[in-house]
Amino acid sequence: MQKVTIIVEQASDGNYWCRTVEDVGGVGLNSCGATVKQAKQDLMDCYQEARDDMEEQGKNVPEVAFEYKYDLRSFFNYFSFLNVSDIAKRAGINPSLMRQYVSGIKNAGEKTYERLAACIEQIKAELQAASF
């Protein structure tokens, strides 16, 4: 199975874009939408069209596993049920500053991204260990 990384970013016009880092069967994919959900669906539609084209041409159609990498605005657009201020507090970031990062008023630095990534990994581990 081929691992394909998808970069999800918000553009300056406010739309969200998805693009593959690795080609899928020799084809690079990208898509756009007003929300991350729409952009991801558009990318899946493009992927299906590429698969259909490859099958028509008798080419090998690789099975893929997608991994998504988000910028801050895209992450909180897609996972809107997460509370930005609570995650900021948990990561040791000023909540007001974090809201400015998410809204695009300010840009987060590399250390901030590292702290957020560690916080999200911790939340992910806690959720995986939880049950009802």
Side-chain angles (χ1 to χ4, degrees):
M1 181 170 290
Q2 179 185 0
K3 180 181 150 194
V4 176
T5 305
I6 298 172
I7 304 297
V8 184
E9 301 171 309
Q10 187 178 34
S12 59
D13 66 359
N15 286 312
Y16 294 91
W17 287 85
C18 295
R19 63 180 167 81
T20 56
V21 174
E22 301 83 13
D23 286 348
V24 179
V27 177
L29 303 174
N30 62 64
S31 63
C32 180
T35 65
V36 173
K37 183 177 181 178
Q38 290 173 350
K40 286 175 75 172
Q41 182 58 55
D42 187 39
L43 189 80
M44 291 302 106
D45 293 344
C46 290
Y47 170 62
Q48 187 57 52
E49 288 175 19
R51 286 178 54 98
D52 293 345
D53 288 346
M54 285 184 251
E55 286 176 359
E56 277 183 23
Q57 297 171 11
K59 294 181 179 177
N60 182 29
V61 180
E63 289 298 320
V64 298
F66 294 112
E67 176 183 290
Y68 296 89
K69 295 197 179 243
Y70 299 87
D71 69 359
L72 277 176
R73 288 179 273 172
S74 299
F75 181 83
F76 284 104
N77 175 270
Y78 190 69
F79 298 100
S80 60
F81 56 87
L82 295 174
N83 184 297
V84 174
S85 296
D86 287 347
I87 289 177
K89 288 177 193 173
R90 194 172 175 147
I93 299 167
N94 179 297
S96 177
L97 187 58
M98 180 70 167
R99 287 189 296 276
Q100 291 177 21
Y101 294 151
V102 172
S103 67
I105 294 171
K106 292 190 176 186
N107 293 319
E110 186 176 333
K111 288 184 180 183
T112 301
Y113 270 102
E114 289 171 3
R115 288 166 68 181
L116 285 170
C119 180
I120 295 300
E121 284 298 317
Q122 181 183 15
I123 292 169
K124 184 170 86 172
E126 289 174 16
L127 285 172
Q128 288 176 330
S131 64
F132 291 95

